[in-house]
Amino acid sequence: MDVINVVLADDHVLVRDGIKALLEDQTGIVVIDEASNGKEALEVVAKNKPHVLIIDIRMPEMNGIEAVGEINKLYTDVRTLVLSMHDSEEYVVKAIQAGADGYLLKGASKEEFLKAVHNVAAGGKYFTGDVSSIIMNNFVNGNTNAAVATKKEVKEDPFKLTKREKQILNLVLQLKNNKDIAEELKISKRTAEVHRFNLMKKLDVKNLMELNNKAKEFGLA
């Protein structure tokens, strides 16, 4: 295709504006419409029939996974790329089961993001590193029962921290900064920042002292 027509679905205007600016700086990609929730995404896709829908997971009214499932049933020519902060097994498995053609973390580099968009638009699949390992574990080995894993996780950890977030927590409590964390886990500094922000948000803490206290309170440290 000469031009890739894209629809963006995210409930944060600033996020959409950033993604739109990045995409439209590239030759051959045009953002033709936007949506602020899953329900709007369905309406916009029905109206525009884009080549690719780039969609977040956690949105009001209808979440991204539900929207991907509906679009996969109704508009088989529309490719879907999930762009999320979450690398938890639950979200990844549900997104794939819903029919997502790609899953990328918001901390990905510009180069990886553009590669994902082009791959998905061309009819391929694109799953970032940590996500690929989850897919291998759950689908190659025939274990797609994410619900069971989630129930076990809730009993052990009320905050549903992902494996990566637990690693980040351990390193943060060792007083390591984002650069140190990125180097140790072999991820980008931006990815480390996103994981750290998400961790603080999940535990509802504002500083290191609060994080340390809550981690001890719930046996996470």
Side-chain angles (χ1 to χ4, degrees), residues 4 6 23 29 52 54 81 113-122:
I4 300 172
V6 173
L23 290 175
I29 302 178
V52 179
I54 299 174
L81 173 62
F113 177 54
L114 293 174
K115 181 180 179 181
V117 173
H118 281 285
N119 278 18
V120 168

Side-chain angles (χ1 to χ4, degrees), residues 58 85-87 157 159-173 178 181 191-208 210-212 214-215 220:
R58 299 185 67 176
M85 286 197 307
H86 305 284
D87 63 351
D157 173 13
F159 303 105
K160 297 184 180 180
L161 298 184
T162 66
K163 180 180 179 181
R164 181 66 86 194
E165 285 166 351
K166 289 174 182 176
Q167 290 176 319
I168 299 288
L169 173 61
N170 183 53
L171 294 173
V172 169
L173 293 178
N178 291 328
I181 292 171
T191 298
E193 290 170 353
V194 170
H195 282 307
R196 186 170 185 152
F197 172 81
N198 201 36
L199 172 67
M200 302 287 278
K201 186 176 179 181
K202 277 189 177 183
L203 270 66
D204 191 25
V205 296
K206 297 180 178 62
N207 53 52
L208 183 58
E210 290 184 7
L211 179 66
N212 184 57
K214 185 158 285 189
L220 301 174

Side-chain angles (χ1 to χ4, degrees), residues 21 68 93 132 171 208:
V68 166
V93 172
S132 295
L171 294 173
L208 183 58

Side-chain angles (χ1 to χ4, degrees), residues 124-138:
K125 304 284 185 180
Y126 193 92
F127 302 100
T128 196
D130 288 348
V131 172
S132 295
S133 64
I134 291 174
I135 294 170
M136 288 293 289
N137 290 337
N138 283 276

